[in-house]
Amino acid sequence: MCNHHDCRFFGVPVVRLPSLLGVQIKKQVSVSAINLPTGFMKFIDEAEIKVIAGRGGNGCLSFLREKNRPKGGPDGADGGDGGSIFLVGKDSLNTLTDFRHVRTYKAESGQPGAGRDCTGRAGVDLRIQVPLGTAVIDVATESVIGEVTLQGEELLVARGGRHGLGNAHFKTSTNRTPRRTTPGTFGDERKLRLELSVLADVGLLGLPNAGKSTLLSTVSQARPKIADYPFTTLYPQLGVVDSGDLHGFVMADIPGLIKGAAEGGGLGTQFLKHLNRTRILLHLVDISPLADQTPETAVRDIEMELKKSRYSLATRERWLVLNKIDTLEAQKTDEIKNALIKDLEWNKPIFSISAVSGSGCRELVGKIMQYLILQRDEHDNQEQLA
Ligand SMILES: Nc1nc2c(ncn2[C@@H]2O[C@H](COP(=O)(O)OP(=O)(O)OP(=O)(O)O)[C@@H](O)[C@H]2O)c(=O)[nH]1
Ligand SMILES: [Mg+2]
C-alpha cells in the first residue's frame, strides 16, 4: 500500500512568469525561482502529480455447494470499493518541495468478492498532506478542483471505483441461479497541478559581492546571476530550499545594500520591503582577504541601513553568516569570527560557510529549519493558550 512516507516528493516545478500585461507566460524549467520586476513579489511554487484512485473489486460468481445441499443457491458476494485520494491541509508545511520526488500517488484497490457471501475488503483511502493555501487544478481541463486552506481540511481529488456486484445480488423469485455479476469500476485517474503562493521565510542581506546569490544557488534550485562585480542582482529572487526532511522553506535574495542606501545610494533600500515578512534575516559577510570592507564595517554598515529603513528589520531575528571561508586558513576564520563576536557583542547565531564549495551550508540550512519549526510550534502553543 502507498504510505505517505514512501510516496512524498515529486515533480519538476514550473515557474509562472507574471506578465504586466495580464497575460500569463508559462515556462517549464527545472528551478523554483523567478526573477521579478520591482514590487512584484508574488511567487508561485508548483508541482504536478498524478493521482490514481483504487479500482472497485469485482463481484463474484459462486454457488454454495455442500454435501448435504447440492443446490445451495448463489453466494457470490460484492467486491469492495476502491480507495479514494484526498489532499489534507497541514500547517507545518510551507512549500511544495515534498512533491519533487514522487510523481504518482495510488490508492489501494478494493478486493474482489468471494463465495460464501464474503464481501471484498474496501481499498484504504490515501491522504496526501499539502501546505495550507494549496490550489488544485485538473491539468486536462484546467479547471480548479478546489483549494485546501485549513489545517486538517480534506479535498477529494480522485474518487475510488465502485465495487462490482456478486451473483447473489441478482437472485430473484424467478431466477434462483443467476450467473450475472458486474466488474468493479476504475477509480478516477488524473493529473493535478498544485499551486501555492509563497512568501519568503528567510531573507538574505549583505553588501554587494557578499555571496548572497551564490548561497541561494547552492541551497536551492534557483539559478540567480552570480558575478564578481557589485549589483549583479537587480531584482529579488526566490528559491525553495529543500532541507532534506519533510519540510522546506523559501529564501529571498535581494540586491546588495551599501552605506547610504537609505538616502538612495546604490540601488537604495526599496527592496527591503520584500524582507518585511520574513522570519529570519541571514546577514552575509565576505571575510575573504579581497573583501572591500573589514568584516566589522560590513556588518555595521548594513545595520545602520536597517535602522534607517521604514521597515522594522533592525529588530528582526538576524544571523551572521561569514562567507568565503575557502579563501582562508581555518584558524584565521576562527580569529575573525571571535573578533566579531567580541567587537559587536554578538549573541545571536553565527556561521562560517563557503557558498561556493557548500562547506557549512548544510548545517546552516538545518539550523534555519529547526528555528522555523520551533517558532511555528511556539506560535501554535500561544494560539492554544489564547
Ligand atoms: N571564493 C569564494 N567566492 C565566493 C563565495 N561566494 C561567492 N563568491 C564569489 O563572490 C562573487 C559575488 O557573488 P554573488 O553571489 O554574485 O554576490 P551577491 O552578494 O549576490 O552580490 P550582488 O548581487 O551584487 O549584491 C562571485 O564572483 C562569487 O563567485 C565563496 O564562498 N568563496
Ligand atoms: Mg546577487
Side-chain angles (χ1 to χ4, degrees):
M1 196 194 77
C2 199
N3 141 331
H4 184 67
H5 276 286
D6 300 325
C7 65
R8 10 168 169 114
F9 306 129
F10 147 85
V12 178
V14 178
V15 166
R16 173 163 288 182
L17 299 174
S19 152
L20 298 177
L21 298 171
V23 181
Q24 294 271 331
I25 312 159
K26 285 193 67 187
K27 195 176 153 203
Q28 182 89 30
V29 289
S30 60
V31 300
S32 340
I34 187 165
N35 243 329
L36 297 165
T38 316
F40 204 130
M41 198 60 179
K42 194 163 174 214
F43 171 69
I44 302 192
D45 195 10
E46 287 196 347
E48 247 179 50
I49 59 170
K50 188 171 181 184
V51 284
I52 307 173
R55 224 196 125 150
N58 293 337
C60 169
L61 173 66
S62 165
F63 293 94
L64 185 65
R65 300 263 184 264
E66 281 179 343
K67 258 190 200 155
N68 46 350
R69 294 169 65 197
K71 287 189 177 171
D75 69 350
D78 298 348
D81 286 335
S84 296
I85 303 184
F86 297 87
L87 300 188
V88 188
K90 175 92 178 148
D91 62 1
S92 59
L93 299 177
N94 55 354
T95 70
L96 297 175
T97 320
D98 298 358
F99 298 95
R100 211 151 285 156
H101 308 278
V102 170
R103 286 170 186 272
T104 305
Y105 292 83
K106 246 177 144 172
E108 202 187 16
S109 289
Q111 297 292 316
R116 297 183 176 267
D117 296 317
C118 271
T119 306
R121 189 171 62 77
V124 177
D125 291 338
L126 179 64
R127 289 181 165 71
I128 307 168
Q129 296 182 330
V130 295
L132 306 187
T134 302
V136 188
I137 291 116
D138 184 329
V139 172
T141 60
E142 280 297 316
S143 58
V144 178
I145 296 177
E147 188 174 348
V148 181
T149 52
L150 302 170
Q151 164 74 6
E153 182 182 348
E154 296 194 344
L155 178 68
L156 177 66
V157 290
R159 191 183 295 279
R162 284 271 301 160
H163 62 262
L165 301 175
N167 66 332
H169 215 98
F170 295 98
K171 183 180 163 189
T172 60
S173 55
T174 52
N175 184 0
R176 298 192 163 273
T177 55
R179 302 194 64 79
R180 189 174 159 208
T181 62
T182 62
T185 62
F186 284 100
D188 291 339
E189 177 172 335
R190 51 171 64 108
K191 266 196 184 151
L192 302 177
R193 188 168 70 248
L194 308 182
E195 288 190 358
L196 178 71
S197 289
V198 289
L199 289 169
D201 306 286
V202 177
L204 297 178
L205 269 180
L207 295 171
N209 276 342
K212 302 177 292 297
S213 304
T214 309
L215 176 61
L216 184 71
S217 73
T218 299
V219 298
S220 79
Q221 293 188 45
R223 291 291 168 261
K225 189 171 170 194
I226 294 167
D228 62 354
Y229 54 81
F231 305 117
T232 311
T233 301
L234 296 174
Y235 300 113
Q237 308 251 340
L238 285 167
V240 176
V241 181
D242 183 351
S243 70
D245 55 17
L246 243 183
H247 311 276
F249 58 85
V250 178
M251 187 180 264
D253 172 23
I254 64 163
L257 287 178
I258 57 167
K259 190 174 177 179
E263 290 79 37
L267 294 176
T269 49
Q270 53 172 325
F271 298 105
L272 283 178
K273 66 171 174 279
H274 297 307
L275 304 188
N276 208 21
R277 291 177 70 182
T278 56
R279 290 184 282 164
I280 313 184
L281 299 174
L282 292 186
H283 186 155
L284 259 73
V285 182
D286 177 353
I287 60 164
S288 69
L290 293 175
D292 291 337
Q293 269 93 347
T294 64
E296 191 184 339
T297 315
V299 177
R300 290 198 194 277
D301 281 359
I302 297 285
E303 281 179 347
M304 186 57 74
E305 298 310 314
L306 292 184
K307 282 193 189 125
K308 285 193 272 180
S309 88
R310 297 190 277 137
Y311 309 99
S312 59
L313 297 177
T315 52
R316 185 72 47 88
E317 180 76 12
R318 183 163 49 95
W319 296 358
L320 280 186
V321 180
L322 312 184
N323 188 27
K324 311 196 186 180
I325 59 168
D326 54 296
T327 61
L328 298 163
E329 298 284 337
Q331 193 192 341
K332 183 72 185 151
T333 300
D334 288 341
E335 275 172 35
I336 295 176
K337 182 170 162 181
N338 292 333
L340 272 180
I341 293 173
K342 187 161 160 274
D343 298 341
L344 298 166
E345 296 180 15
W346 189 257
N347 55 12
K348 288 282 179 189
I350 179 165
F351 298 85
S352 308
I353 66 160
S354 166
V356 158
S357 77
S359 161
C361 292
R362 187 189 285 264
E363 194 203 338
L364 175 64
V365 165
K367 285 283 191 293
I368 294 171
M369 200 64 241
Q370 265 177 21
Y371 176 83
L372 293 176
I373 291 172
L374 207 73
Q375 226 204 6
R376 203 147 39 206
D377 290 350
E378 276 174 17
H379 176 77
D380 288 352
N381 288 343
Q382 276 169 7
E383 277 202 337
Q384 276 172 11
L385 288 175

